[in-house]
């Protein structure tokens, strides 16, 4: 699986580039097995892929039938709530950081069941129990689907 991921990534970018990646693994029925990645890193794509694969993805390798990789483009802090709420979730993801704890959460662009940013914020709040002051960022990604 690791070689297939790197081969496909190399078609879209240089493995020596420093880009942020997010991986989602799906089983034969399309059920998500794991979704994790890095919005910020100083690692190359090659190094980051190795780290995430060996740390998380390898545990699900035998069940995985599809790998989706989002190559994250630079993100932008959104301070204007009206502008943020108007962003289409088909094209934009949301990255939220708790200002005190520095914990972060993300919803990727074009995520099934997330029709708008208000829903994305609600899901992040519900799933992760966000409280306190947060900073919000929007981003785009290039999505690659790899069938195994």
């Amino acid at each position: 699986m690791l070689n297939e991921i790197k081969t496909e990534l190399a078609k879209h970018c240089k493995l020596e580039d420093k880009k942020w990646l997010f991986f989602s693994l799906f089983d034969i029925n399309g059920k998500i097995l794991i979704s994790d990645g890095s919005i910020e890193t100083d690692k190359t794509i090659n190094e980051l892929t190795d780290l995430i694969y060996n740390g998380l993805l390898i545990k699900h390798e035998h069940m995985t039938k599809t790998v989706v990789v989002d190559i994250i483009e630079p993100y932008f802090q959104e301070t204007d709530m009206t502008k943020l709420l108007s962003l289409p979730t088909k094209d934009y993801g949301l990255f939220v950081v708790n200002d005190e704890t520095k914990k972060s959460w993300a919803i990727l662009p074009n995520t099934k069941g997330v029709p708008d940013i208000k829903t994305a914020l609600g899901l992040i709040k519900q799933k992760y129990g966000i409280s306190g002051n947060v900073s919000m960022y929007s981003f785009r990604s290039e999505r690659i689907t790899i069938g195994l």
Side-chain angles (χ1 to χ4, degrees):
M1 182 166 80
L2 179 60
N3 288 334
E4 289 94 338
I5 292 170
K6 286 186 178 184
T7 298
E8 195 61 36
L9 279 171
K11 294 177 185 177
H12 298 269
C13 52
K14 295 177 184 171
L15 296 181
E16 298 77 30
D17 288 350
K18 291 184 179 177
K19 295 218 178 218
W20 310 315
L21 303 173
F22 210 90
F23 294 86
S24 300
L25 305 183
F26 298 87
D27 69 10
I28 195 165
N29 298 314
K31 181 182 172 198
I32 193 158
L33 299 169
I34 189 168
S35 187
D36 207 337
S38 175
I39 300 292
E40 288 188 314
T41 186
D42 61 351
K43 306 286 185 212
T44 66
I45 289 173
N46 193 47
E47 293 168 329
L48 185 58
T49 301
D50 284 341
L51 285 170
I52 293 173
Y53 176 80
N54 290 314
L56 297 170
L57 306 183
I58 196 169
K59 298 171 191 168
H60 302 279
E61 184 173 39
H62 64 285
M63 297 181 288
T64 301
K65 295 299 176 196
T66 305
V67 177
V68 176
V69 182
D70 280 87
I71 303 170
I72 307 298
E73 296 179 11
Y75 56 83
F76 301 95
Q77 186 168 11
E78 299 292 350
T79 56
D80 180 345
M81 192 57 114
T82 303
K83 179 183 173 203
L84 177 67
L85 291 172
S86 72
L87 294 174
T89 54
K90 178 182 178 286
D91 302 316
Y92 289 90
L94 183 63
F95 175 49
V96 179
V97 180
N98 181 293
D99 294 334
E100 289 83 33
T101 66
K102 302 303 179 199
K103 287 186 179 183
S104 61
W105 308 273
I107 297 278
L108 297 169
N110 205 24
T111 295
K112 186 177 178 178
V114 183
D116 53 41
I117 295 293
K118 185 175 181 179
T119 302
L121 286 168
L123 287 171
I124 290 172
K125 183 175 182 178
Q126 175 187 11
K127 186 174 181 178
Y128 301 108
I130 294 176
S131 62
N133 293 327
V134 297
S135 296
M136 294 179 279
Y137 303 85
S138 65
F139 63 91
R140 291 178 174 258
S141 71
E142 178 182 358
R143 183 163 288 166
I144 302 166
T145 302
I146 306 162
L148 303 175

